[in-house]
Amino acid sequence: MAVNPTQTRVRNAAIRLFAKKGFHGVGIRELAQAAKVSPASLYHYIGSKEELLADIMWESLERLLSAAMLATTDVADPQEKLGRLVTLHVIAHAVQAKETAVVDNELRSLAPKLRRRVIDKRDAYEQLWAETIEQGSEAGLFRPDHDGIARRALLEMCSGVARWYSPKGEIKLDRLASQFTDIALRSLSTGDAPPQPDMDRCRTIVKYTWGTRV
Amino acid sequence: MAVNPTQTRVRNAAIRLFAKKGFHGVGIRELAQAAKVSPASLYHYIGSKEELLADIMWESLERLLSAAMLATTDVADPQEKLGRLVTLHVIAHAVQAKETAVVDNELRSLAPKLRRRVIDKRDAYEQLWAETIEQGSEAGLFRPDHDGIARRALLEMCSGVARWYSPKGEIKLDRLASQFTDIALRSLSTGDAPPQPDMDRCRTIVKYTWGTRV
DNA sequence: CCTAGACGATCGAACGATCGGTCGGCTAGG
DNA sequence: CCTAGCCGACCGATCGTTCGATCGTCTAGG
């Protein structure tokens, strides 16, 4: 992460503007103005506009992946694992909505080489979901016709949070997370009502990863 | 819809390119080349680049809305209604993936005036979902803590289909639609396994609205 | 039947503006 | 004196859009 204050301003301005207008909708002059530097000075902190985008996306995915791994290692129960994945994913997309929106929307703006790096990260993350759903299916706990459809459906549902949720609205974050977890587990489970995952553990990981109290 | 062949080429090229690269990622010259006209000739068929985008988005929503209204009028059972909404939404996002992706991603590229028109259309469509979920909740058939969360979660899940589904893949369209309907109804319903909605009716509407056999 | 003129479609060339990015030089603190 | 931070000025390229002219086709009047 950025330590230099100017670097932080640049990074934050880029996240905000890319999320609002899209990568190609933001010029470097506009970006420089938002970061309170001149267009020329901008290039002391970034390699290029595109590398800036790739860095933002990669770091966002890196945090999400590390949080998800922290939450699922040594957890045997697939329902508990999936519940934690959903909870963390939803919270991440709520408290880091702009970053995650950029990750979800701007892959196409990257040239093949940079895109590859980001996609690999994303695939590593989604692999966690795939394994968990597969384990649940094999254990007879989940009932999807097709694991891939279920994985995609749940991931898109949870990522969509970044597109509409506002922390300033009436919906509290823990209620959001618990209802999403409920929807996700209920839609996949074969048997009775699934339990809530270990929320305290998730809270700890969120605090550690994104520095946000939940 | 466009009747003039050149107009059709322009429209199709715009949909394809906007979906692939984003509105600001496509230049007029690139668009003209893809439509096999000169950049100047393009302006005999469009008012401006932005109006072209707005037209595409509005027409796509218009078709989706009319299809949804056709499918739900005079249907009393909220489960049947929601099942049909999900089925149509998923199929629309599968067979018209590019248009719907543009609708979902490019609202931000529209100036306020044009954006207003498109948002009004979208809200009219989502209102159908809201009413249906509300009816189900009041009838005791659905069990969400919060209707708004459920609506958004399901809409995002279904819209996400446009981002990953490929008709050329191994997943057949009717299987996709039925599994999504199953996930949606299962996640909301209070009681037993919900029935599948009237698939034949949905098929007929799809054929009528988008001209696609399912 | 011929022709004048209106018409829709098309395009080459160019407009001013903005794009992403570079360069040389200025300033301030160690 | 060195270096990191910063910036005004500028680069060639591309942006969305407009203009005037040229096509072929159709129609009305003589």
Side-chain angles (χ1 to χ4, degrees), chain A residues 61-83:
Chain A
L61 280 171
E62 171 66 23
R63 275 197 294 269
L64 186 58
L65 175 59
S66 76
M69 290 199 302
L70 268 178
T72 53
T73 45
D74 301 325
V75 176
D77 178 23
Q79 285 188 333
E80 176 69 23
K81 274 177 82 170
L82 184 62

Side-chain angles (χ1 to χ4, degrees), chain B residues 12 15 60 63-64 67 86-101 158-168 171-174 176-177 202-203 205-214:
Chain B
N12 290 342
I15 290 171
S60 178
R63 275 197 293 268
L64 187 58
V86 169
T87 298
L88 281 178
H89 195 98
V90 167
I91 292 178
H93 280 70
V95 302
Q96 305 281 307
K98 294 187 177 66
E99 282 99 324
T100 49
C158 298
S159 297
V161 166
R163 258 168 250 130
W164 60 266
Y165 179 74
S166 166
K168 289 173 291 190
I171 303 172
K172 291 284 170 287
L173 193 50
D174 58 346
L176 181 80
C202 292
R203 255 184 275 266
I205 293 172
V206 167
K207 172 76 174 153
Y208 171 76
T209 306
W210 293 281
T212 310
R213 281 278 286 120
V214 180

